[in-house]
Amino acid sequence: MSTLLEQLRAGLPADAVVTDPDVLRSYAQDMAGFCEAGAAAVLVLPRTVEEVRHTMRTATELRVPVVPQGARTGLSGGATATEGCIVLSMLRMNQILEIDPVERIAVVEPGVVNATLSRAVGEHGLFYPPDPSSWEECTIGGNIGTASGGLCCVKYGVTAEYVLGLDVVLADGRLMSTGRRTVKGVAGYDLTRLLVGSEGSLGIVVRATLALRPQPPQQLVVAAEFPTMASAGEAVCRIMERGHAPSLLEIMDRTTLRAVNDMARMGLPESTEALLLAAFDSPEPAGELAAVGELCAAAGASEVLPADDPAESEMLLQARRLALVALEKVTGTTLIDDVCVPRGQLAAMLDGAQAIGEKYGLTVGSCAHAGDGNTHPIVCFDPTDEDEARRARESFDEIMALGLELGGTITGEHGVGVLKKEWLAREIGPVGLELQRGIKQVFDPLGLLNPGKLF
Amino acid sequence: MSTLLEQLRAGLPADAVVTDPDVLRSYAQDMAGFCEAGAAAVLVLPRTVEEVRHTMRTATELRVPVVPQGARTGLSGGATATEGCIVLSMLRMNQILEIDPVERIAVVEPGVVNATLSRAVGEHGLFYPPDPSSWEECTIGGNIGTASGGLCCVKYGVTAEYVLGLDVVLADGRLMSTGRRTVKGVAGYDLTRLLVGSEGSLGIVVRATLALRPQPPQQLVVAAEFPTMASAGEAVCRIMERGHAPSLLEIMDRTTLRAVNDMARMGLPESTEALLLAAFDSPEPAGELAAVGELCAAAGASEVLPADDPAESEMLLQARRLALVALEKVTGTTLIDDVCVPRGQLAAMLDGAQAIGEKYGLTVGSCAHAGDGNTHPIVCFDPTDEDEARRARESFDEIMALGLELGGTITGEHGVGVLKKEWLAREIGPVGLELQRGIKQVFDPLGLLNPGKLF
């Protein structure tokens, strides 16, 4: 241990090597707080690429596992500390190095907060689309690690679509560049895309070149209330089938609406089974909003409410962003599923999640990126009640099983972490798993990078 | 040899195993006809997944290399036969298995021709964007192998963005599924994206699930003539900087325009140094066409010519699609560079390519996907003239060196094949190369899949 600290300190400033047990404990977990963490040996907070390289060289020499972290807003335990590990927090590497409106790229360090980048590029008339609900806190490095999505991905795609190139420190401290600064590039295997979503298990991202888009006009929202989830699901299918390109298409169920009202007194309708929000950011969205309103009515909506202005639209979106926090207040803790299903199975998935909640006697509220089929059934439970915690875990699993049965995936955007390890194996099968392990072995032969995550 | 044929025939219909030397010779090369090919032992034309698996099991058992092929429209020698190999042509696996307008996906076999798919999904109001110039012939499997681009990628992205999931037969005959049918999915490492662009070196794609988009309105084109390449490059930068989203932004140089006129008598302007074509497919493109016209004029365009209707627009695009064939007619053979540079370096790249042509006493005509910075300097040469062939190869290399110097990549969309092997190593460096070889080893430990390509 003293060897580890001495060697780390030999190449790092004093304030970058933290051993205070209280601080270490505060870095032990991400938002999946119920995932059991080990006691880290040390927290390292590098400011430079060279400091990351020194940390990894030391880790390799002494065979110490390393758990990389961003803002720890992850929901699958992908950043949970393991016993005796180095927690490598990238928060201090938070510089935006370049924004180029001609090339439409930004070059950033991994600790840059998503919202900080979004605002900075906005000043140049540019747009970085991936917008996880935690966008005010989460970092670009963390977004890359988990291949994050968000609300506007239904039109603009997920993080993977926006990462052009990476600088990566490998397990042994070597520095590698992948990808490019150019729009296109197909030189060799796409290591950039392989690293996106690898949850810190293949290397430490120390710099990212990101693609940007021109900023679209502000979006306007139409809301529609439905008497059943099936009719809301029907509306989603018709909207997509007709070729509409909403910049957002979200669903909240009655449980979620009530929880948001309880917390924020937003006056959302609680008598409805599903509230659908559709937004358009085209220059003249009126026609699209009206057409979508009609499709909703035809599918059985009891009420269609176009927002009158951007402020009212923003209020509705705010309600959606609060869903998780509001449901957490119900019982103290939540398990958040992240099942993405074909759009045609959206209602079956959400109705099924509710039925599973009833079966286990638990509150399950759902919201969903409906246009993507990406559902987030949220299981509320009291972690101090052992039986309730067990039932929560079982219903969480049953929801994933239903997702696979409906032709979906166990994770649309949150990643696998420690929470869904067995489920990854179940989804991708033994051959895929063998190849994934083989790739891990190529990048990290000693198995030091974020051990125990993914598989 | 007889063992190989016997074993292949044991699991394949008689007409799927071809040994006629003339036929074998006709399958020996792709469009990079100057890349030397070996004599294949046999051509296999499977119709089913099981037939592909049988072929690969046989190849593994007998340690025979396998060269997978689509329509052989590739430009880098990625499909060149090697001595004693099995040429595995996927042309007969050409069924469109599913088109789903609600999920916006198509499921296809690898031998489906790009244009066939485009037309089929068009009947459902859908759009499969990647459109290589060879789209009337090239196959989806080949597009996936080389991670193809095309003209409309400036707005809609490249093949990698549209491949959601794959069924793949591995070197040893095992069948694996990657990815998903859903819009999102981040379960484990992204093997789908790893396989896209792997040039048949990691596995045989036998089925692909592709994302589709709603069909946009027909595009309208504005053309602008420039007295220098620098002023055309300046216009491209300003167009992108102002946040325009053209559905196409192409450049042709004077040499290319002349060649197209010589072949097709299209009446393109030959007195200009660069012709820029910009298209918009928004519902009301008039404003954007006018704004882009103004930016062109401000950058120094001598003439701005909006196409009056879709037919005139299509004629201009046709001219662009003919560029390569027209330049091939100049001397009989061409070497086509595929250098993608930052947009700001577009003019430097194209002027540089022309200067390199002059230095070596060769005709070099250039066209470019200008909005992407993806340039195609085309070196014309007479392959029967040994000295000219040597100069062609040297100028081809010098153009790639210039591309790297300008911050670009050696291949934006054509792939590495045999043509750019040394250049791949130069671009990605020793660490990246070591990891790529490691990944190849995981998928194909015996090195049987498309040996000698990439690295």
Side-chain angles (χ1 to χ4, degrees):
Chain A
M1 170 65 110
S2 66
T3 319
L4 171 63
L5 296 178
E6 272 164 33
Q7 287 208 26
L8 284 173
R9 286 184 177 126
L12 291 160
D15 75 336
V17 183
V18 179
T19 55
D20 180 321
D22 289 341
V23 177
L24 291 192
R25 260 193 301 276
S26 76
Y27 278 78
Q29 292 170 315
D30 56 21
M31 291 279 285
F34 43 82
C35 293
E36 223 165 298
V42 56
L43 165 68
V44 173
L45 290 149
R47 276 202 172 81
T48 68
V49 173
E50 192 42 47
E51 289 173 15
V52 176
R53 300 187 66 182
H54 175 76
T55 305
M56 293 312 305
R57 279 191 294 258
T58 304
T60 286
E61 197 185 323
L62 302 179
R63 306 289 194 266
V64 181
V66 174
V67 176
Q69 291 184 341
R72 294 179 288 111
T73 52
L75 296 162
S76 305
T80 308
T82 50
E83 191 64 28
C85 76
I86 300 171
V87 166
L88 182 60
S89 169
M90 305 306 284
L91 289 176
R92 288 185 183 166
M93 291 184 68
N94 62 358
Q95 298 302 300
I96 297 174
L97 303 169
E98 189 184 342
I99 296 172
D100 186 327
V102 171
E103 308 302 337
R104 291 186 186 162
I105 59 171
V107 182
V108 304
E109 291 185 335
V112 171
V113 169
N114 181 299
T116 307
L117 176 65
S118 293
R119 294 193 183 107
V121 305
E123 286 174 25
H124 296 267
L126 293 165
F127 177 39
Y128 179 68
D131 61 342
S133 290
S134 59
W135 74 306
E136 290 280 8
E137 296 162 74
C138 65
T139 64
I140 297 298
N143 294 171
I144 291 170
T146 50
S148 303
L151 302 188
C152 69
C153 300
V154 61
K155 181 165 179 178
Y156 295 106
V158 294
T159 298
E161 256 81 64
Y162 292 90
V163 183
L164 295 176
L166 295 171
D167 284 359
V168 179
V169 174
L170 298 176
D172 58 11
R174 286 185 297 174
L175 182 63
M176 173 182 66
S177 292
T178 72
R180 55 194 204 268
R181 278 174 68 89
T182 52
V183 180
K184 287 172 171 174
V186 295
Y189 301 145
D190 192 343
L191 299 188
T192 308
R193 288 277 166 72
L194 187 65
L195 284 155
V196 174
S198 64
E199 304 193 16
S201 69
L202 298 180
I204 311 292
V205 170
V206 292
R207 186 173 291 198
T209 302
L210 305 172
L212 305 171
R213 285 176 167 266
Q215 208 166 40
Q218 200 162 14
Q219 59 189 0
L220 282 181
V221 175
V222 60
E225 300 175 24
F226 289 88
T228 62
M229 193 52 85
S231 52
E234 168 75 12
V236 169
C237 289
R238 294 296 83 75
I239 291 167
M240 300 310 283
E241 191 184 42
R242 288 294 180 86
H244 289 292
S247 50
L248 172 147
L249 191 56
E250 296 286 320
I251 276 184
M252 287 182 277
D253 72 358
R254 188 216 297 251
T255 308
T256 305
L257 294 168
R258 189 168 303 158
V260 174
N261 273 347
D262 285 350
M263 188 179 75
R265 303 188 187 290
M266 292 187 99
L268 300 169
E270 293 185 11
S271 60
T272 187
E273 282 301 312
L275 182 72
L276 184 67
L277 304 177
F280 288 88
D281 62 0
S282 45
E284 301 288 349
E288 287 153 310
L289 288 167
V292 162
E294 275 167 38
L295 290 172
C296 287
S302 53
E303 192 109 41
V304 176
L305 308 151
D308 287 326
D309 53 47
E312 204 175 316
S313 293
E314 188 50 39
M315 194 275 288
L316 284 167
L317 301 186
Q318 193 54 26
R320 168 60 187 87
R321 287 192 192 275
L322 287 175
L324 172 57
V325 186
L327 282 163
E328 261 175 1
K329 287 203 185 285
V330 174
T331 49
T333 299
T334 52
L335 268 165
I336 304 154
D337 263 300
D338 173 38
V339 173
C340 193
V341 294
R343 286 182 193 110
Q345 303 291 358
L346 188 66
M349 186 66 225
L350 293 177
D351 278 339
Q354 198 176 9
I356 290 165
E358 280 158 21
K359 171 177 160 190
Y360 285 97
L362 294 169
T363 299
V364 174
S366 286
C367 51
H369 309 305
D372 293 332
N374 190 180
T375 70
H376 295 308
I378 299 168
V379 181
C380 304
F381 68 104
D382 174 358
T384 64
D385 179 333
E386 211 170 288
D387 184 64
E388 200 167 307
R390 178 192 54 75
R391 281 181 282 135
R393 180 73 215 204
E394 283 176 20
S395 54
F396 178 80
D397 282 357
E398 205 164 307
I399 289 167
M400 277 193 283
L402 176 62
L404 288 183
E405 205 178 290
L406 295 173
T409 168
I410 56 156
T411 175
E413 57 185 8
H414 293 173
V416 174
V418 291
L419 198 54
K420 296 173 225 161
K421 279 166 63 169
E422 314 93 79
W423 286 91
L424 178 68
R426 201 157 143 179
E427 178 168 336
I428 67 179
V431 181
L433 201 63
E434 181 188 316
L435 291 174
Q436 302 227 351
R437 285 186 206 274
I439 290 169
K440 164 75 173 173
Q441 178 77 16
V442 169
F443 278 76
D444 179 21
L446 300 173
L448 298 177
L449 280 167
N450 216 8
K453 314 296 160 54
L454 279 168
F455 35 70
Chain B
M1 169 64 110
S2 65
T3 317
L4 172 63
L5 296 179
E6 272 164 35
Q7 288 208 24
L8 285 173
R9 285 183 178 129
L12 290 161
D15 75 337
V17 182
V18 179
T19 55
D20 180 320
D22 289 339
V23 177
L24 291 191
R25 261 193 300 277
S26 74
Y27 277 79
Q29 292 170 315
D30 57 21
M31 291 279 286
F34 43 81
C35 293
E36 222 164 297
V42 56
L43 164 68
V44 173
L45 290 150
R47 277 203 172 83
T48 68
V49 173
E50 193 42 50
E51 289 174 15
V52 177
R53 299 186 68 182
H54 175 76
T55 305
M56 292 312 305
R57 278 192 296 259
T58 305
T60 286
E61 197 185 323
L62 303 178
R63 305 290 192 267
V64 180
V66 174
V67 175
Q69 291 185 341
R72 292 178 289 112
T73 52
L75 296 161
S76 304
T80 308
T82 50
E83 191 64 30
C85 75
I86 299 170
V87 165
L88 182 60
S89 169
M90 305 305 285
L91 288 177
R92 288 185 183 166
M93 290 184 70
N94 62 357
Q95 298 302 302
I96 298 175
L97 303 170
E98 190 184 339
I99 296 173
D100 186 327
V102 171
E103 309 301 337
R104 289 184 186 164
I105 59 172
V107 181
V108 304
E109 290 185 336
V112 171
V113 169
N114 182 298
T116 305
L117 177 65
S118 293
R119 293 194 182 108
V121 304
E123 286 175 22
H124 297 266
L126 293 164
F127 177 40
Y128 179 69
D131 62 340
S133 290
S134 59
W135 75 306
E136 291 278 9
E137 295 162 75
C138 64
T139 63
I140 297 298
N143 294 171
I144 291 171
T146 50
S148 304
L151 302 187
C152 68
C153 299
V154 62
K155 181 165 181 180
Y156 295 106
V158 294
T159 298
E161 257 82 64
Y162 292 89
V163 184
L164 296 177
L166 295 171
D167 284 358
V168 179
V169 174
L170 298 175
D172 57 13
R174 287 185 296 172
L175 181 65
M176 174 182 65
S177 291
T178 72
R180 56 194 203 268
R181 279 174 68 91
T182 53
V183 179
K184 287 172 170 173
V186 295
Y189 302 145
D190 193 342
L191 299 188
T192 308
R193 287 277 166 71
L194 187 66
L195 284 155
V196 174
S198 63
E199 303 191 19
S201 68
L202 299 180
I204 310 293
V205 171
V206 291
R207 184 174 293 199
T209 303
L210 305 171
L212 306 171
R213 286 176 167 267
Q215 207 166 41
Q218 199 160 17
Q219 59 188 0
L220 282 180
V221 175
V222 59
E225 299 175 23
F226 290 89
T228 62
M229 192 52 85
S231 52
E234 167 76 11
V236 169
C237 289
R238 295 296 82 76
I239 291 166
M240 299 310 282
E241 189 184 42
R242 289 294 180 87
H244 290 291
S247 51
L248 171 148
L249 190 56
E250 297 286 321
I251 276 184
M252 286 181 278
D253 73 358
R254 190 216 295 250
T255 307
T256 305
L257 293 168
R258 190 167 304 156
V260 174
N261 273 346
D262 284 351
M263 189 179 73
R265 303 187 189 290
M266 293 188 97
L268 299 169
E270 293 186 11
S271 60
T272 187
E273 281 301 313
L275 183 71
L276 184 67
L277 304 178
F280 289 88
D281 62 2
S282 43
E284 300 287 349
E288 288 153 309
L289 289 166
V292 162
E294 276 167 37
L295 290 172
C296 287
S302 53
E303 192 108 41
V304 176
L305 308 150
D308 288 324
D309 54 47
E312 205 174 317
S313 292
E314 189 48 42
M315 192 275 288
L316 285 167
L317 301 186
Q318 193 54 28
R320 167 62 186 87
R321 289 192 191 274
L322 287 175
L324 172 58
V325 186
L327 282 162
E328 261 176 1
K329 289 205 182 286
V330 173
T331 50
T333 299
T334 53
L335 268 165
I336 303 153
D337 263 301
D338 173 39
V339 173
C340 192
V341 294
R343 287 182 192 109
Q345 303 291 358
L346 187 67
M349 185 67 225
L350 293 178
D351 278 340
Q354 196 175 12
I356 290 166
E358 280 158 20
K359 172 178 159 190
Y360 286 97
L362 294 169
T363 298
V364 174
S366 286
C367 51
H369 309 305
D372 294 332
N374 191 179
T375 69
H376 295 308
I378 299 167
V379 181
C380 305
F381 68 103
D382 174 357
T384 63
D385 179 334
E386 211 170 289
D387 184 65
E388 200 169 304
R390 178 191 54 75
R391 282 181 282 132
R393 180 73 214 204
E394 284 176 20
S395 55
F396 177 80
D397 282 356
E398 205 164 307
I399 288 167
M400 277 192 283
L402 176 61
L404 288 183
E405 205 178 292
L406 294 173
T409 170
I410 56 157
T411 175
E413 57 184 9
H414 293 175
V416 174
V418 293
L419 199 55
K420 298 173 223 163
K421 276 166 64 169
E422 314 94 81
W423 286 93
L424 178 69
R426 202 156 144 180
E427 177 168 336
I428 67 177
V431 181
L433 201 62
E434 183 188 315
L435 291 174
Q436 302 225 351
R437 285 186 206 274
I439 290 168
K440 165 75 173 172
Q441 179 76 17
V442 168
F443 279 75
D444 179 22
L446 300 173
L448 299 177
L449 280 167
N450 217 6
K453 314 295 159 56
L454 280 168
F455 35 69

